[in-house]
Amino acid sequence: MSAKVVSVGRDAGHAFSKPIGDTIRLLTGLGVEGDAHCGITVKHRSRVAIDPSQPNLRQVHLIHAELFDELKLAGFDLAPGDLGENVTTRGIDLLGLPVGARLQLGNKACIEITGLRNPCAQIEAFRPGLLSAVLGRVSEGQLVRKSGIMAIVLAGGEIRPGDAIGLTLPDRPHRALERV
């Protein structure tokens, strides 16, 4: 199966979930047009409170649809947009990508992966028990954050469900994703 965009969403407010739409437009260096997290500097409220001048490494939030499949088996019936992502994908191991990997979304848009989304208490407030379901541990005890990845926009363009996703890996050595 080739990698593709399953859904796209945005929200001008800071609601937890994002409404799904037919298309979103990525703006170079800013993020998703019309989304509360669009901008050069950080827009996540808790991070703004610490330092509003931080660069926005969280311009685009992506989640793999395979997570929804996994969570459904655990009793959580979730749909794209429920966890606040801008882009839901299928057929690409988002969590396995290194920092600096680039994704071509559709014909023009290109994003660069910056790190992992850090799941927070809002996930637990959304659905009790969900926070522990999106956190795991590997055999060595290391924490695994499953709630998606974050990216910055290198080249703008429109993205629609069904668009192909291309991948370009950075030069080695690869650096594993950490929370941003």
Side-chain angles (χ1 to χ4, degrees):
M1 171 196 287
S2 60
K4 68 176 185 173
V5 173
V6 173
S7 69
V8 295
R10 70 169 175 250
D11 185 25
H14 282 277
F16 180 73
S17 298
K18 292 191 187 296
I20 297 305
D22 295 331
T23 184
I24 58 172
R25 179 182 306 277
L26 298 187
L27 303 173
T28 303
L30 296 172
V32 180
E33 182 179 53
D35 192 82
H37 296 97
C38 186
I40 294 170
T41 56
V42 68
K43 302 300 177 200
H44 194 272
R45 289 185 288 186
S46 66
R47 292 167 190 262
V48 167
I50 294 167
D51 179 2
S53 68
Q54 295 176 70
N56 189 0
L57 302 178
R58 302 165 54 103
Q59 295 175 357
V60 183
H61 176 206
L62 299 94
I63 287 184
H64 50 297
E66 293 85 353
L67 175 63
F68 297 133
D69 301 339
E70 176 186 333
L71 292 172
K72 187 168 187 140
L73 295 174
F76 297 97
D77 191 16
L78 300 173
D82 281 352
L83 296 180
E85 75 275 15
N86 300 111
V87 179
T88 308
T89 67
R90 185 168 292 280
I92 186 167
D93 179 13
L94 295 178
L95 301 179
L97 295 175
V99 172
R102 292 181 178 190
L103 298 180
Q104 180 79 34
L105 303 170
N107 295 328
K108 294 182 180 179
C110 181
I111 61 174
E112 183 173 286
I113 307 309
T114 56
L116 295 168
R117 175 193 187 190
N118 191 34
C120 64
Q122 287 181 315
I123 290 177
E124 189 66 18
F126 179 66
R127 298 271 168 81
L130 186 56
L131 181 59
S132 64
V134 298
L135 293 172
R137 295 216 180 258
V138 293
S139 58
E140 299 82 31
Q142 181 182 8
L143 184 65
V144 177
R145 293 170 174 88
K146 303 178 191 177
S147 60
I149 64 172
M150 308 306 282
I152 58 172
V153 180
L154 299 179
E158 288 193 354
I159 306 171
R160 295 177 177 79
D163 280 351
I165 300 173
L167 170 63
T168 304
L169 294 173
D171 292 337
R172 290 194 179 270
H174 291 165
R175 196 173 56 153
L177 297 177
E178 296 177 4
R179 65 185 178 95
V180 292

